Amino acid sequence: MSNRLFSALIAALVVALWLAGRLVSNEYVFFVGYAVVQYILLATAWNLLGGYAGYINFGTAAFFALGAYIAVAINKLVDLPVPVLILAGGVAAGALGLAMGYLTLKLRGVFFSIATLAMAIVFQAVITNWSFVGGASGAYVLRPNEGPWGGSYVEYLFYLMLSMAGGAVALARIIERSRVGYGLASIRDDELASEASGVPTLRLKVLATVLSGALMGMAGAPLPFYVAYLDPPSAFNLSYAVNTIAMPLVGGTGTWLGPVIGAVLLTAVQQGAMVTISSAANLLLVGLLMVAFITLAPNGIVGLVRGLANRPSTGGNKK
Amino acid sequence: MTNSIGRRAALAGMVGTAAVTQSRLAWAADPIKIGFSIPQSGGLAALGRQALLTMEIWANDVNAKGGMLGRPVQLVTYDDQSNPANVPPIYTKLLDIDKVDLIVTQGTNLTVPAMPIAMQHGKMVLTMLALAINDKFKYPRFFQTMPYGPRGKQSISEGFFDVAMGMNPKPVTVALVGADAEFAKNAVDGAREEAKKHGLKIVYDRTYPPPTVDFGPVIRGIAGTNPDIVYIGSYPVDTSGMVRAARELNFRPKLFGGGMVGTQATTLKADLGEMLNDVVSYELYCPAVADKFPEVEPILKKYQPAAKEKGIDPQGYYVPPFTYATMQILEQAVTGSGGLDQDKLAKYMHATNFKTIVGDVKFGPDGEWDHQRLLWVQFRGLKGQGMEQFTNPSAEVVLHPVEYRTGELRYPLGPGKQ
């Protein structure tokens, strides 16, 4: 399937979901749906660097929170529509990705991961001391009841997030099947050999970091309107980093489909656990699934299915 | 699904089961459902689990008396994992799917995300342990039951400074220090205003990052400015660190204390033990005022054995009395207004002087108490470590407000071992 046809299908799916959503009167559906598509976007964004290039980024919360806080800061200065704030969050987080890329991408493996984790901690300290966006006390964002096209505001936020998630998935598929994607895959397999073969490794890694960071920032921008209140401990919540790593691992890294499957599966499990088991079992479930998939299916669900599909037939050919 | 008296599988087949407390009595009428998101895991779980247990005790008590309006009370709860992002979907589910009649919330950062949803549904919001939320929302159906009064931020320091200014000679200088986090920052902001109001010279005014573990440098920095009094806005870990550092460095200003979260928790108090001697902090309830609030003790008698079993605060002086009072207010509002009409309920709440186990409660126009009533206490006569000594009324002497005073301020700060 060509990228153009795939993108058209994604757009059609978004439109179909929008039409279906018109028939839904229960707002809970949009709240749960928002969580699912938010994680599709975050997991897809993480996969651009972590899955395609093999650079494990623990700093998801920094990019996500930057997008959220840029939205808060701009919203305090001037009343702009959320899509504009999303773009601003994306630009700021992309710029952070650029800076982080140049500073840290010469590190490899666990050293790179530690650097990204440190960046999130430093960034949280900065936000905690930035009183304009509420600092340690947090910021209130009073959202309107209704969205600009009718329906509730949360419904509006859901469609915005759905559109971004659809766009991110289409972008990830385009990258995966492009020269950039092949270059990133070669970096993941053997960076030295890749560089020796003429692949511009640093440039590709920085590109992936910028795109990944920008998408994470865009995912964070609507958060203040969704929660109505933003403080550093919740914006930089560890669960964002853990989930965005777990989802591609469970679904399958290195492919656009893996994060989508992982995000839908894990978010559904978590949302279900929250209203049934009602305990800390939520993150425990994520941990157990991660351990299970890393040991039993290191290539995730996508890898598992491909492995089963490619397994040679064992009977019926004997002569 | 949990049930504090009997277990029923009433919601077992539903999509998403909830924590439900029901009486064994056979009821002809449908239950009145009270829904809330409450932290049972994560950083705020210690408070949330105490509140939940107390609410279950209240529900059992009410159902044993015949319920409200002749209908049983049912609690429908979900664990928000102390994460504000989980709160909006939970309250939407409570209101749209579980169809709860009434909602309750807890904590500042876990109440704010529920506010737009409650306002959209026109629901009255009754909340506990939250500070100055309605300053932003100005929602006429919002009510908060902690006794912070109309001037939220200042309430966490007002009594402390009133006590300090009673010293002879009066203090001249003050050091302000607090964690870079929501409650502590509000506390120190309020203290700054109070210091200015009383004409005190601020000689130290700094914050420290929440993950700080070594408070020696902080205390040395404060001691270097030689303040008469020290006001601290802190969370449990730093409260412990600050007190320990002050004792280790033998730092003894005239008055040491403030809005120190953790000095209300039995385990932390027991751990610090005699190091707390002469430290001044706030309480909502303590054995020293037991005779003023005689109805609290029977509730604590029910709470304490269950709390020990569940591994939560075994004495429960901080959260349970006011949580039970919150639910009493709800009960009186429902029965007094004669139904579940949210507008009538809110009007009744504004107009009524509620009788609760923690005394009379009257709400002001902003939904907060119409006056401030935090208890400012000074720890006295503590020996070594251990929690039993805190059941002794003389372990915490109430200094402020005047009507609850059980002793005078002792100053300057004496040595830990006395």
Side-chain angles (χ1 to χ4, degrees), chain A residues 1-9 170 173-175 177-178:
Chain A
M1 191 189 300
S2 73
N3 284 328
R4 195 170 291 176
L5 180 60
F6 181 80
S7 301
L9 277 177
R173 188 174 183 274
I174 291 167
I175 289 175
R177 292 158 189 235
S178 69

Side-chain angles (χ1 to χ4, degrees), chain A residues 66-273:
Chain A
L66 178 62
Y69 272 103
I70 287 292
V72 169
I74 295 175
N75 190 53
K76 285 192 90 167
L77 291 170
V78 54
D79 191 16
L80 290 175
V82 178
V84 178
L85 302 180
I86 288 171
L87 281 178
V91 169
L96 178 69
L98 183 67
M100 188 191 88
Y102 271 114
L103 288 172
T104 62
L105 282 170
K106 286 177 184 164
L107 303 172
R108 286 179 195 172
V110 70
F111 302 107
F112 171 79
S113 302
I114 291 169
T116 58
L117 187 60
M119 182 198 66
I121 293 167
V122 168
F123 194 62
Q124 181 170 357
V126 171
I127 293 292
T128 302
N129 287 286
W130 188 15
S131 56
F132 181 68
V133 290
S137 303
Y140 290 70
V141 178
L142 304 184
R143 64 167 183 251
N145 283 344
E146 285 189 4
W149 312 313
S152 75
Y153 204 79
V154 171
E155 189 180 341
Y156 168 59
L157 293 178
F158 165 73
Y159 292 126
L160 284 178
M161 191 59 81
L162 177 67
S163 308
M164 285 192 284
V169 170
L171 177 69
R173 188 174 183 274
I174 291 167
I175 289 175
E176 187 183 326
R177 292 158 189 235
S178 69
R179 285 164 61 90
V180 172
Y182 298 136
L184 291 172
S186 72
I187 291 170
R188 181 183 63 213
D189 293 340
D190 190 331
E191 190 165 347
L192 276 179
S194 164
E195 192 149 1
S197 310
V199 175
T201 55
L202 182 63
R203 203 183 304 163
L204 286 181
K205 287 188 297 183
V206 169
L207 177 68
T209 313
V210 169
L211 285 175
S212 174
L215 290 175
M216 288 174 182
M218 290 169 80
L223 180 74
F225 298 89
Y226 175 79
V227 184
Y229 172 77
L230 194 69
D231 65 345
S234 46
F236 289 87
N237 200 299
L238 186 66
S239 62
Y240 292 117
V242 172
N243 281 332
T244 41
I245 294 172
M247 286 162 182
L249 281 178
V250 168
T253 54
T255 158
W256 66 269
L257 186 59
V260 177
I261 293 173
V264 172
L265 181 71
L266 281 190
T267 315
V269 167
Q270 286 183 320
Q271 291 288 324

Side-chain angles (χ1 to χ4, degrees), chain A residues 31 129 136 142 227 275 278 282, chain B residues 17 79 81 92 113 137 180 182:
Chain A
F31 275 101
N129 287 286
L142 304 184
V227 184
V275 295
S278 200
N282 201 322
Chain B
T17 50
D79 177 15
Q81 299 155 26
T92 309
F137 290 100
D180 259 339
E182 179 243 335

